[in-house]
Amino acid sequence: PGADYLIIEPGGRVTVRPGAEINFTRREPWFFPVSRAGDDGARRELDSASAKILVYGSFSAAGTPASPVIFSGASFGGLHALGEGRIALRDCRLENSAACALTARDGAAAELERCSFASCRGGTEASGFSSLFLSDCLFSDSGGPALRLLDSSLSSASGCAVRGCAGPAVEA
């Protein structure tokens, strides 16, 4: 048996090496909601029907152009930095996410360099005073925007490309 969520607690650190493939599989028929209130009082909830990584500490995945880190699977529900969580990805591929592939929420931060997002429900999202920095990333064939900004969040994108995604490249 396994868990549908990997939770990296505050102070915890996980590092993924080049060439790793992380395949997400949903094992439990139930889920617990991860929700918060937005600046406007609206309820914001993570899609909880898929397996995911919840980061309150530090998560980094450093692939290489020849040996990327791959996140995929039938139940891939994304990587989510929450609170003081930090995510750093370099040379990674995020594929077929059933939810937004990467989010930073409630003061969290994410930095992505040379990452590709393919056939995901959504690309990246920042909300609740969070920050998201993207460099040379590619978003293709996604069901939503490549970058979504909500609730006083901040983002910087340089050298990124968006191809074949539904909706606008950036939604703010």
Side-chain angles (χ1 to χ4, degrees):
D4 291 338
Y5 298 86
L6 170 62
I7 299 174
I8 301 168
E9 298 290 344
R13 179 176 298 205
V14 172
T15 302
V16 180
R17 304 267 183 208
E21 293 185 28
I22 300 175
N23 190 337
F24 292 77
T25 302
R26 181 94 176 151
R27 296 176 192 266
E28 300 294 335
W30 53 269
F31 64 90
F32 66 92
V34 178
S35 61
R36 58 174 284 283
D39 284 352
D40 58 1
R43 181 177 171 172
R44 308 243 193 271
E45 185 172 304
L46 285 176
D47 180 329
S48 296
S50 300
K52 58 185 56 61
I53 297 176
L54 303 175
V55 180
Y56 295 91
S58 173
F59 180 87
S60 64
T64 67
S67 193
V69 173
I70 300 170
F71 299 91
S72 65
S75 295
F76 177 35
L79 310 174
H80 306 280
L82 304 165
E84 297 296 316
R86 300 291 180 258
I87 294 176
L89 304 179
R90 186 178 71 236
D91 293 307
C92 293
R93 292 190 341 223
L94 295 88
E95 302 171 342
N96 302 307
S97 178
C100 189
L102 185 134
T103 67
R105 298 171 186 254
D106 303 325
E111 295 183 33
L112 292 77
E113 182 179 356
R114 295 186 310 269
C115 294
S116 67
F117 295 76
S119 302
C120 298
R121 183 169 164 202
T124 60
E125 180 179 305
S127 64
F129 299 97
S130 293
S131 58
L132 187 56
F133 300 98
L134 306 152
S135 176
D136 300 315
C137 294
L138 171 64
F139 299 86
S140 60
D141 303 317
S142 292
L147 173 60
R148 187 171 185 224
L149 300 172
L150 301 166
D151 305 326
S152 304
S153 55
L154 154 69
S155 181
S156 172
S158 172
C160 297
V162 178
R163 296 188 186 120
C165 296
V170 176
E171 182 180 298

